[in-house]
Amino acid sequence: MAMESFEDDIKGIVLQLFDIGALKFGNFKMKVGINSPVYFDLRIMVSYPPLMEKLADLVWRYAQSIGIEATVLCGVPYTALPVATLVSVKSGLPMLIRRKEPKAYGTMKLIEGKFSQGEECLIIEDVVTSGGSILETAKDLVNDGLVVQHAIIMVDREQGGKRNLTDRGIRMHSLLSLSKALSILLENGKLDQKKVGEVREYIAANQVFSNEDLIPKRRLWLSYSERSALAKNPLACRILQLMGEKKSNLCVALDVPNWSELVRLVNLIGSDAVVVKTHYDYIKDWKPSCQDELTKLAAAHNFIVLEDRKLGDIGNTIMGQFETLTSWADGLTMHSICGGDSLKAVREAKVDSRPHGVFVVAELSSQGNLISAPYTKKTTELAKEFEDVVAGLVAQNPLLENEPGFVQLTPGVSLKAGGDNLGQKYVTPSDAVLARGGDLIVVGRAITRSINPKETARQIRQELWSAYERRIAEGQTSGS
Ligand code: 6AU
């Protein structure tokens, strides 16, 4: 974008907004409930078609210059709708309309227009104070399966909206800031120094933070420690806390044929792992005394025990299995195949007071597995419905992105991508965290069958943790 002509155009727009009374100075009552000495009323622009056209042109030039990849756009009702429509016509990007209330008859749709699941939608808005209106629109778009990453706005009042949006995973880009508008008006003799000072003081003293959690914070951009306070399931809370404390997101899968081998490995790598995952029925000489021994090892090395039992039965059976197995395991994996009542059984099971929970299989790492997209979607819905007992999902793709209280368990990880000869597929540690959205990463044979399990565990732990740190850093810079 030719910056010079962009700046000239912005200057022209500010002066015109002032002249037509779209930018007013006085004492105004704002939507967020505080009085302001400055007010942008861009609704009036519908009476000035050339101005609207110019704004639409600037919005689209700006979107192109920052490489927006959205394939559909949506204006925040109502003021931004005419400009969004012009941007749609100019760019060829189809538009969506968000209803403020669902239709009383026919479909109950809130979002009108054609789109596919996972499609990225660009939001267009006129003026931002707290960012609340963008969040309301984004919430409905996201609920319908769209992805919202960017909002282009015409004026930023610089009162905290950008921060509120960034915290919820939306990058806000503004054509114009209030400070910039003030400077232009001052330079052109439209405002005096006193008025400009007064407005600047007001803005600095009136930062608004949206108190409604309209869009929950992003799972992938928050630290494990921050997220532990947001977990509804006690085991998820404990795991997130321990990940932060140990600085590890490694779950080691100890699929070994005998107990002595498990003990040997735990003593080598237990301190590197946050969770030790067992298949107790893989161990040929497993006996009840192993349960106590494992509990002692967990205390000595400070890890959590997850029995990968993959329960998948009617509620009554699951209830009994859950009660028995949690006498020694902190958590269990389970399938959602039997639906909500099997999770209700987990909720109603009588267990001791230690933190317990289940990881529900939403996706599998094995080639040719039979899980379909609707099954995965339904499973994520069940997880949300049973957030008190579900610690997280077993998944291969970033699921529950706006639900930071859940832990995504991602298996199928090795130092190199590939697979075994029985359908298992592997990605690298960094891909598991960055591309797959995993929080707690399951690594088995890559460690247990390596020549030096301790050394390999250390290396994988380090790769996993630095990928996580990169993920958090991306979240922090995402607002720029
Ligand atoms: O690293 P590996 O291939 O030696 O072991 C992976 C471990 C095994 C599997 O039973 C388990 O992860 N697993 C799961 C889980 C944890 O539920 C799901 C899945 O999709 N793939 C997978 O390998 O113990």
Side-chain angles (χ1 to χ4, degrees), residues 273-462:
V274 167
V275 171
V276 164
K277 190 178 79 59
T278 53
H279 282 289
Y280 85 94
D281 49 2
Y282 195 106
I283 300 166
K284 294 190 169 60
D285 55 351
W286 176 273
K287 46 186 188 304
S289 62
C290 298
Q291 300 169 5
D292 276 354
E293 273 187 67
L294 189 54
T295 306
K296 284 185 195 135
L297 287 167
H301 298 285
N302 196 18
F303 60 74
I304 286 159
V305 177
L306 178 65
E307 165 55 26
D308 194 1
R309 182 63 186 76
K310 295 204 181 64
L311 308 172
D313 215 317
I314 57 163
N316 181 63
T317 308
I318 286 201
M319 186 186 276
Q321 291 172 312
F322 191 75
E323 287 177 357
T324 304
L325 292 166
T326 51
S327 68
W328 58 274
D330 300 295
L332 295 173
T333 54
M334 75 178 270
H335 285 294
S336 52
I337 186 80
C338 281
D341 282 332
S342 53
L343 281 156
K344 189 163 162 253
V346 172
R347 181 180 275 164
E348 289 173 9
K350 290 183 184 52
V351 292
D352 59 38
S353 60
R354 290 177 303 129
H356 294 299
V358 287
F359 282 89
V360 185
V361 178
E363 289 174 328
L364 285 163
S365 63
S366 53
Q367 198 173 326
N369 73 77
L370 303 182
I371 289 185
S372 62
Y375 182 96
T376 301
K377 186 164 184 277
K378 189 74 195 132
T379 303
T380 59
E381 282 160 14
L382 282 175
K384 287 197 260 183
E385 189 182 337
F386 291 92
E387 60 182 6
D388 53 330
V389 291
V390 175
L393 295 176
V394 181
Q396 292 296 311
N397 289 291
L399 301 180
L400 293 170
E401 284 189 83
N402 291 325
E403 303 290 339
F406 288 101
V407 178
Q408 179 169 318
L409 189 71
T410 297
V413 177
S414 194
L415 278 166
K416 282 201 208 103
D420 68 9
N421 57 4
L422 287 173
Q424 174 68 307
K425 288 193 294 176
Y426 292 118
V427 297
T428 61
S430 77
D431 274 353
V433 174
L434 296 169
R436 305 289 173 115
D439 291 315
L440 184 58
I441 309 300
V442 180
V443 186
R445 287 164 288 172
I447 293 175
T448 58
R449 296 199 183 166
S450 79
I451 299 169
N452 187 340
K454 191 175 175 65
E455 188 50 42
T456 311
R458 286 267 151 91
Q459 185 189 342
I460 291 179
R461 171 187 180 174
Q462 219 225 314

Side-chain angles (χ1 to χ4, degrees), residues 8-312:
D8 286 347
D9 287 341
I10 290 288
K11 189 170 148 191
I13 284 204
V14 171
L15 296 174
Q16 197 179 351
L17 288 175
F18 184 83
D19 289 342
I20 65 172
L23 178 48
K24 296 186 182 133
F25 295 87
N27 190 22
F28 306 93
K29 181 119 187 84
M30 303 294 293
K31 190 175 166 188
V32 291
I34 42 182
N35 283 1
S36 162
V38 58
Y39 186 56
F40 286 91
D41 182 6
L42 265 59
R43 273 169 296 198
I44 198 172
M45 72 189 166
V46 291
S47 306
Y48 301 87
L51 172 64
M52 267 199 305
E53 198 186 7
K54 189 95 221 165
L55 276 168
D57 179 52
L58 284 172
V59 168
W60 179 232
R61 273 160 63 197
Y62 194 39
Q64 286 172 300
S65 76
I66 53 178
I68 299 273
E69 285 176 359
T71 45
V72 66
L73 61 84
C74 179
V76 175
Y78 292 98
T79 317
L81 291 185
V83 170
T85 311
L86 289 174
V87 174
S88 168
V89 171
K90 201 173 276 288
S91 63
L93 288 186
M95 185 162 120
L96 298 172
I97 292 185
R98 169 184 170 251
R99 290 179 173 279
K100 284 196 147 186
E101 297 82 27
K103 278 196 290 187
Y105 55 90
T107 61
M108 293 291 286
K109 278 198 299 192
L110 280 172
I111 305 297
E112 302 285 358
K114 275 176 74 174
F115 58 91
S116 14
Q117 294 293 301
E119 198 167 353
E120 189 184 333
C121 179
L122 168 68
I123 288 188
I124 296 178
E125 170 65 314
D126 62 336
V127 182
V128 166
T129 304
S130 70
S133 302
I134 290 183
L135 289 174
E136 280 170 17
T137 293
K139 184 183 174 218
D140 289 341
L141 292 167
V142 170
N143 277 347
D144 270 15
L146 285 142
V147 174
V148 176
Q149 307 210 62
H150 299 273
I152 298 201
I153 67 152
M154 292 164 235
V155 189
D156 177 11
R157 289 180 55 107
E158 300 172 301
Q159 283 177 265
K162 183 166 184 162
R163 178 74 216 271
N164 287 333
L165 291 168
T166 304
D167 280 354
R168 287 160 182 83
I170 300 176
R171 300 175 204 192
M172 186 188 97
H173 314 272
S174 53
L175 294 184
L176 176 67
S177 64
L178 180 53
S179 319
K180 177 112 191 176
L182 289 174
S183 308
I184 294 172
L185 293 171
L186 182 67
E187 273 164 29
N188 288 274
K190 304 276 185 191
L191 287 181
D192 58 22
Q193 194 69 56
K194 184 165 169 282
K195 190 78 200 168
V196 170
E198 196 186 301
V199 177
R200 287 209 168 117
E201 248 171 59
Y202 158 81
I203 294 297
N206 289 282
Q207 292 290 309
V208 290
F209 296 98
S210 69
N211 43 15
E212 287 166 280
D213 232 5
L214 288 159
I215 286 207
K217 294 183 172 189
R218 285 234 150 168
R219 175 172 68 81
L220 301 172
W221 288 356
L222 290 178
S223 70
Y224 296 137
S225 310
E226 282 174 287
R227 286 169 50 194
S228 69
L230 304 170
K232 299 288 186 320
N233 168 258
L235 182 63
C237 172
R238 176 82 194 102
I239 290 175
L240 288 163
Q241 226 171 21
L242 193 57
M243 289 202 280
E245 279 164 31
K246 275 185 123 170
K247 294 199 187 320
S248 168
N249 45 357
L250 172 64
C251 165
V252 65
L254 294 183
D255 298 340
V256 290
N258 51 63
W259 178 245
S260 59
E261 176 63 358
L262 185 140
V263 174
R264 184 184 79 88
L265 286 165
V266 162
N267 284 323
L268 284 176
I269 57 188
S271 58
D272 286 300
V274 167
V275 171
V276 164
K277 190 178 79 59
T278 53
H279 282 289
Y280 85 94
D281 49 2
Y282 195 106
I283 300 166
K284 294 190 169 60
D285 55 351
W286 176 273
K287 46 186 188 304
S289 62
C290 298
Q291 300 169 5
D292 276 354
E293 273 187 67
L294 189 54
T295 306
K296 284 185 195 135
L297 287 167
H301 298 285
N302 196 18
F303 60 74
I304 286 159
V305 177
L306 178 65
E307 165 55 26
D308 194 1
R309 182 63 186 76
K310 295 204 181 64
L311 308 172

